[in-house]
């Protein structure tokens, strides 16, 4: 479990020298095996929160514990980073080697693993993201979605328990986005890896077990996708996207009370209207 | 007056083993004052197409005309520069192209290179910033690199607007913006359009297309596969899905409802219109008591 306990994070803005409160007394427990989506506008603190999960940032106040290990404990830094992997937005910034398999091997090599074991881990990781056929290719020849899957494989080769995805699909086209989301869901469901997905896309958030909405450094809403996305008026107030079907359900419900208001997906709506 | 592509072909690395045909026989007429949406997969030729609109790429075969002038013809050489300035091109992630020390210098870079006087340049910067609701006074002396992602992008686009283009071409201008930033940006684009600017926008978002474009073209394998109003396009979901593209979610809903026997129109995607249509169809069904 990752336990975020009353975390506040302050940083100084370079240009103005003002102190900014990026996180304001945030508490959140992330359970093993969970798939959590964190939504919110740019500047709401979601990426700052993500970077606390593997000690890229440390709290100004409060604590973050990964499997009961405090991230502020410098001696445990590498244990924590091995347990919590991170995938970032820009696929081009995450690949370092000249071939796909070398790139995936980078982490295990740095851990000082035996070559035979590295081989095994790389093969497994590439198979899990469906990129085995590309192992000898140069990363620059891949599409955005494929690059992101290689970046994910690089993380998986480290056998993390938790993977934090920081807007992994923001720079991808619809095909790439689908590839990455399918990979993310498979890792969660089949491999039991805990997934924390920081995103702007509510189509992605709908797939999570739990959705957390942040604004101005605070968690303002949390619940199952259904609980969160049926609060249409509140989400609109925050200028967040609402799934069109959820919005339509709210409108239909206003006119005809027998139509349920808590509908989120096309299939649910079809069942509701044509039982 | 218009932008015109006549039987344009474009081949990357012609004659080499890696030769690829990015555009094949493109015929397209973009009228002044239009809001044209271009959709298609990555690799379908969208970006190649728009780079022809201001002469960044020369057709392997065929002609590109800006307001009637063939920009790639030798005889038009004298006029070429002037004509190309009519078309402002905003690349993907234009904020990566910011480089000056202050916002004002960055936006003024283009106009300065035109040889305009300092006061003229300043006027242009002010105007361009006003068009995107960027506050001149507070931002002019700031480094563009200190701004938020959404603001950086606006500054980069203001740099294009400061050239006073007649036609504004944007390649996925909202990619990577958050929902609030995207909404604001598209609304401002709609305002520019109402003020008479021709907008040509490449996007992956069918919902944005449904809301803003007057006409759309759908590209696949370097060719224009479909064109028409968003209504026309989205009422042909099978074709879109064959190409691997989505239809707006409410169109998808209407199609599924129709498959299940609810007699609804499927060419709507505005939420109010969809609501009314569903209520109408349900009332009609109640009347007949069948589904």
């Amino acid at each position: 479990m990752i336990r975020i306990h009353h975390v506040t994070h302050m940083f100084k803005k370079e240009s103005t020298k003002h102190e900014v409160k990026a996180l304001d007394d945030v508490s959140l427990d992330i359970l093993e095996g969970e798939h959590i989506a964190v939504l919110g506008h740019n500047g709401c603190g979601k990426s700052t929160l993500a970077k606390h999960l593997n000690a890229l940032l440390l709290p100004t106040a409060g604590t973050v514990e990964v499997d009961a290990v405090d991230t502020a404990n410098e001696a445990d830094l590498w244990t924590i980073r091995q347990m919590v992997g991170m995938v970032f937005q820009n696929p081009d910034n995450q690949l370092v080697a000249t071939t796909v398999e070398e790139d995936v091997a980078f982490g295990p090599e740095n851990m000082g693993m035996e070559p035979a074991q590295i081989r095994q881990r790389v093969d497994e990781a590439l198979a899990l993201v469906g990129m085995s056929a590309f192992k000898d290719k140069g990363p620059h020849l891949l599409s955005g979605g494929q690059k992101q899957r290689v970046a994910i494989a690089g993380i998986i080769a480290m056998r993390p328990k938790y993977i934090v995805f920081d807007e992994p699909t923001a720079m991808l086209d619809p095909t790439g986005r689908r590839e990455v989301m399918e990979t993310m869901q498979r890792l969660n469901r089949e491999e039991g890896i805990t997934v924390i997905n920081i995103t702007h896309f509510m189509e992605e958030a709908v797939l999570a077990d739990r959705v957390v909405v942040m604004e101005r450094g605070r968690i303002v809403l949390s619940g199952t996708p259904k609980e969160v996305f049926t609060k249409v008026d509140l989400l609109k107030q925050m200028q967040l996207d609402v799934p069109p079907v959820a919005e339509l359900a709210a409108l239909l419900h206003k006119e005809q009370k027998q139509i349920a208001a808590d509908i989120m997906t096309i299939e649910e709506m079809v069942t509701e209207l044509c039982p | 007056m218009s932008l015109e592509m006549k039987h344009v072909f474009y081949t990357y690395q012609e004659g080499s083993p890696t030769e690829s045909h990015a555009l094949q026989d493109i015929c397209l007429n973009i009228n002044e004052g239009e809001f044209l949406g271009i959709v298609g997969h990555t690799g379908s030729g969208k970006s190649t197409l728009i780079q022809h609109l201001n002469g960044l790429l020369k057709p392997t075969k065929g002609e590109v005309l800006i307001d009637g002038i063939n920009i790639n013809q030798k005889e038009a050489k004298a006029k070429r520069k002037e004509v190309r300035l009519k078309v402002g091109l905003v690349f993907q992630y234009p904020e990566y192209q910011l480089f000056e020390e202050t916002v004002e210098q960055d936006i003024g870079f283009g106009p300065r290179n035109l040889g305009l006087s300092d006061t003229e340049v300043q006027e242009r910067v002010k105007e361009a910033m006003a068009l995107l609701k960027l506050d001149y006074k507070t931002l002019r002396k700031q480094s563009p690199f200190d701004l938020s992602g959404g603001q950086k992008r606006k500054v980069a686009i203001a740099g294009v607007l400061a050239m006073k283009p007649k036609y504004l071409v944007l390649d996925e201008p909202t990619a990577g913006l958050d929902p609030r930033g995207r909404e604001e940006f598209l609304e401002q684009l709609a305002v520019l359009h109402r003020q008479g600017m021709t907008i040509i926008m490449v996007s992956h978002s069918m919902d944005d297309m449904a809301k803003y474009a007057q006409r759309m073209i759908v590209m696949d394998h370097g060719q224009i596969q479909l064109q028409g109003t968003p209504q026309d396009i989205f009422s042909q979901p099978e074709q879109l899905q064959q190409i691997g593209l989505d239809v707006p979610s409410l169109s998808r809903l209407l199609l599924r409802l129709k498959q299940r026997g609810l007699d609804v129109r499927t060419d709507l995607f505005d939420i109010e219109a969809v609501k009314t249509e569903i209520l109408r169809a349900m009332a009609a069904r109640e009347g007949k008591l069948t589904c």
Side-chain angles (χ1 to χ4, degrees), chain A residues 124-153:
Chain A
E124 268 176 25
L126 283 172
L128 271 174
V129 299
M131 287 296 290
S132 304
F134 295 84
K135 67 182 171 64
D136 300 321
K137 287 257 179 344
H140 64 284
L141 295 172
L142 307 179
S143 73
Q146 291 169 335
K147 283 180 193 169
Q148 232 16 350
R149 278 147 69 198
V150 172
I152 296 170

Side-chain angles (χ1 to χ4, degrees), chain B residues 189-204:
Chain B
L189 211 54
V191 170
L192 289 180
H193 176 239
R194 280 199 291 277
Q195 290 169 351
M197 195 176 286
T198 310
I199 310 274
I200 296 127
M201 180 170 85
V202 172
S203 174
H204 283 305

Side-chain angles (χ1 to χ4, degrees), chain B residues 145-159:
Chain B
F145 300 101
D146 281 345
L147 306 177
S148 73
Q151 275 187 319
K152 271 186 203 162
R153 184 163 303 181
K154 283 190 188 172
V155 168
I157 295 175

Side-chain angles (χ1 to χ4, degrees), chain A residues 36-267:
Chain A
I36 290 194
V38 184
L39 280 175
H41 287 293
N42 292 337
C44 73
K46 56 192 191 324
S47 287
T48 307
L49 181 69
K51 290 190 180 108
H52 276 77
L53 301 181
N54 72 346
L56 282 177
L57 290 175
L58 294 175
T60 311
T63 53
V64 177
E65 286 175 9
V66 179
D67 290 357
V69 180
D70 191 330
T71 57
N73 216 341
E74 221 171 296
D76 295 318
L77 188 63
W78 297 109
T79 319
I80 290 164
R81 298 250 166 104
Q82 192 271 317
M83 282 197 286
V84 186
M86 279 195 95
V87 177
F88 295 97
Q89 190 181 97
N90 192 337
D92 290 316
N93 293 349
Q94 298 174 76
L95 305 181
V96 290
T98 49
T99 69
V100 164
E101 64 177 359
E102 279 173 35
D103 199 274
V104 177
F106 183 80
E109 270 171 5
N110 277 354
M111 287 165 81
M113 224 177 265
E114 293 297 319
Q117 203 187 355
I118 295 177
R119 175 81 263 160
Q120 191 198 347
R121 290 241 184 148
V122 169
D123 289 345
E124 268 176 25
L126 283 172
L128 271 174
V129 299
M131 287 296 290
S132 304
F134 295 84
K135 67 182 171 64
D136 300 321
K137 287 257 179 344
H140 64 284
L141 295 172
L142 307 179
S143 73
Q146 291 169 335
K147 283 180 193 169
Q148 232 16 350
R149 278 147 69 198
V150 172
I152 296 170
I155 301 293
I156 295 172
M158 309 284 283
R159 298 257 170 96
K161 270 174 84 171
Y162 307 90
I163 302 184
V164 182
F165 293 86
D166 194 358
E167 295 191 42
T169 65
M171 299 180 81
L172 305 181
D173 66 2
T175 314
R177 187 172 299 161
R178 217 168 298 138
E179 287 171 16
V180 168
M181 286 313 294
E182 279 165 14
T183 307
M184 188 188 293
Q185 280 184 286
R186 196 166 58 242
L187 291 176
N188 178 249
R189 293 209 184 123
E190 291 167 22
E191 304 300 315
I193 295 174
T194 309
V195 164
I196 299 109
N197 183 25
I198 315 271
T199 181
H200 285 314
F201 298 107
M202 39 87 204
E203 308 96 294
E204 293 180 10
V206 166
L207 304 170
D209 301 320
R210 187 149 61 113
V211 179
V212 171
V213 182
M214 292 189 66
E215 197 173 53
R216 291 200 201 93
R218 288 172 159 269
I219 292 177
V220 290
L221 211 54
S222 163
T224 63
K226 194 161 247 185
E227 285 163 357
V228 169
F229 288 121
T230 47
K231 296 197 170 61
V232 172
D233 293 335
L234 185 59
L235 292 171
K236 289 222 138 181
Q237 226 176 8
M238 290 192 272
Q239 286 181 287
L240 286 168
D241 279 343
V242 180
V245 177
E247 196 180 348
L248 179 69
L251 285 175
L252 285 171
H253 179 75
K254 268 181 204 153
E255 305 266 343
Q256 295 246 354
K257 294 294 172 216
Q258 72 266 30
I259 300 174
D262 64 341
I263 292 173
M264 247 178 14
T265 66
I266 290 177
E267 283 315 307

Side-chain angles (χ1 to χ4, degrees), chain A residues 13-15 40-43 46 89-90 167 170-175 178 200-201 215 238-241 244-245 247-248 251-252 255-256 258-259 265-267 269-271 273-275, chain B residues 41-42 93 96 142 146 149-150 172 175-184 204 207 244-246 249-250 252-253 256-257 260-262 271-272 274-276 278-279 282 285-286 291:
Chain A
K13 212 173 170 183
E14 281 293 326
S15 52
H41 287 293
N42 292 337
K46 56 192 191 324
Q89 190 181 97
N90 192 337
E167 295 191 42
M171 299 180 81
L172 305 181
D173 66 2
T175 314
R178 217 168 298 138
H200 285 314
F201 298 107
E215 197 173 53
M238 290 192 272
Q239 286 181 287
L240 286 168
D241 279 343
V245 177
E247 196 180 348
L248 179 69
L251 285 175
L252 285 171
E255 305 266 343
Q256 295 246 354
Q258 72 266 30
I259 300 174
T265 66
I266 290 177
E267 283 315 307
M269 181 65 95
V270 171
T271 315
L273 298 180
C274 295
Chain B
H41 261 303
T42 307
Y93 300 98
Y96 291 172
Q142 285 200 39
D146 281 345
E172 289 191 53
L177 294 184
D178 64 11
R180 184 188 292 154
R182 194 183 70 221
E183 193 70 25
E184 277 174 13
H204 283 305
D207 287 309
L245 295 171
D246 280 334
S249 29
L250 293 180
R252 227 162 38 225
L253 172 69
R256 285 283 295 125
L257 288 172
R260 289 287 290 263
L262 187 66
I271 191 155
E272 283 293 331
V274 171
K275 178 195 83 174
T276 312
I278 288 178
L279 290 172
M282 286 177 68
R285 182 179 64 186
E286 303 279 297
C291 183

